[in-house]
Amino acid sequence: GENVEQHPSTLSVQEGDSAVIKCTYSDSASNYFPWYKQELGKGPQLIIDIRSNVGEKKDQRIAVTLNKTAKHFSLHITETQPEDSVVYFCAAGSNTGKLIFGQGTTLQVKP
Amino acid sequence: EAGVAQSPRYKIIEKRQSVAFWCNPISGHATLYWYQQILGQGPKLLIQFQNNGVVDDSQLPKDRFSAERLKGVDSTLKIQPAKLEDSAVYLCASSLQGTSGTDTQYFGPGTRLTVL
C-alpha cells in the first residue's frame, strides 16, 4: 500500500551546521511533496513544498530535492539555529489531494 | 485571514463514552480533512470531504467513527464508543480545492483526546 518512510527519527546538530532529512515513497502516482514543521501543541505548518516537475526548490535557508526515479526526496536546512529545533514531517500527495505522512524527525540544534 | 479553528482543544473521557470534535475550515476552502495523529507518529488521514460530499473515508473505522459536513462548511467528527487506542490528537485541515492534488493543506491546532 501507500507508504512514506522518513529518516532519521532524531537528528542532533551544532548551531550553524546543516541538517538533512530524507524520505522515500512507494506510490508512483505521487506528484506533490510538502514538508511541514510541528511545534509542541500545534498543528503542522507548511514550510516548503515541491511538485514532480521540479527537481529542486530553495527558500532562504531551506531547500528540497526530489528524485522521482528513485522515489526519494530530501529537506536541507543550512545555517541551523536553535529555533529550528522542532519536529519535521515529509508527505507525499497525489491528484486526489490525500497526503501520506512520514513518521517525523525531531531536530535538535545545540547552541 | 483566520486559520482553521477546532474545538475543544483537550478532551478526557472514559472508554465506551462518546465524544465529538468540531472544525471550521478557512473561509472559501472546499476541501476538509480529518487526520488522526498518535503520539510520535505522522498524521493519518481519516476522511476527506469535497464540499459536503465524502471523497475518501477508506481509513475511517466506521463501526465507531462518523463524520459529517452538512452545509459544506464546518464539520464534526464523532467517536462512539471510544476505545483506549483512540487516544490521539485529531487534526482538521482544509485546502482551496483539494482535487487538483497540489493545494496546500492548512492545519488547525488539533484536539488532544485522552481515553481512560
Side-chain angles (χ1 to χ4, degrees):
Chain A
E2 304 156 326
N3 190 43
V4 174
E5 293 288 335
Q6 182 172 346
H7 298 281
S9 57
T10 59
L11 179 59
S12 182
V13 300
Q14 288 295 134
E15 181 177 0
D17 287 350
S18 295
V20 180
I21 303 170
K22 299 182 179 181
C23 290
T24 60
Y25 62 97
S26 60
D27 187 359
S28 299
S30 297
N31 58 8
Y32 174 59
F33 307 92
W35 287 86
Y36 285 83
K37 69 175 186 180
Q38 188 172 26
E39 299 175 20
L40 204 60
K42 296 185 177 181
Q45 179 185 358
L46 181 76
I47 55 173
I48 195 167
D49 57 14
I50 191 168
R51 289 161 175 79
S52 60
N53 57 345
V54 175
E56 184 175 357
K57 183 178 179 180
K58 289 184 179 180
D59 183 4
Q60 300 181 344
R61 298 186 296 110
I62 295 174
V64 291
T65 58
L66 171 64
N67 182 331
K68 282 218 74 179
T69 303
K71 295 183 182 174
H72 289 171
F73 58 113
S74 300
L75 177 71
H76 304 251
I77 305 173
T78 59
E79 301 172 22
T80 53
Q81 301 166 3
E83 51 264 38
D84 294 330
S85 298
V86 291
V87 180
Y88 294 85
F89 289 97
C90 64
S94 64
N95 288 338
T96 64
K98 178 179 181 178
L99 290 180
I100 305 296
F101 281 83
Q103 299 89 334
T105 297
T106 301
L107 175 63
Q108 181 185 28
V109 180
K110 299 177 182 176
Chain B
E1 178 182 81
V4 177
Q6 289 189 248
S7 69
R9 291 297 315 276
Y10 306 92
K11 190 74 177 179
I12 300 174
I13 62 173
E14 295 188 350
K15 60 183 179 184
R16 291 187 289 273
Q17 287 187 324
S18 62
V19 64
F21 314 125
W22 174 82
C23 171
N24 190 28
I26 293 173
S27 178
H29 279 197
T31 308
L32 185 148
Y33 311 81
W34 283 102
Y35 289 86
Q36 180 192 59
Q37 185 176 25
I38 292 172
L39 187 65
Q41 298 182 19
K44 182 185 81 170
L45 181 70
L46 292 175
I47 188 167
Q48 175 184 349
F49 291 96
Q50 178 77 11
N51 296 309
N52 60 350
V54 175
V55 175
D56 185 345
D57 63 356
S58 58
Q59 297 195 80
L60 187 74
K62 298 180 186 63
D63 57 334
R64 298 183 301 106
F65 286 65
S66 64
E68 60 183 13
R69 194 185 184 200
L70 292 176
K71 297 182 179 179
V73 181
D74 55 356
S75 175
T76 55
L77 176 69
K78 297 179 181 178
I79 307 175
Q80 181 179 13
K83 292 185 175 182
L84 296 176
E85 58 260 38
D86 298 332
S87 294
V89 175
Y90 291 85
L91 295 162
C92 179
S94 70
S95 65
L96 195 58
Q97 288 296 334
T99 53
S100 71
T102 58
D103 280 351
T104 298
Q105 292 187 25
Y106 298 89
F107 284 81
T111 296
R112 180 175 295 278
L113 174 67
T114 302
V115 182
L116 303 175

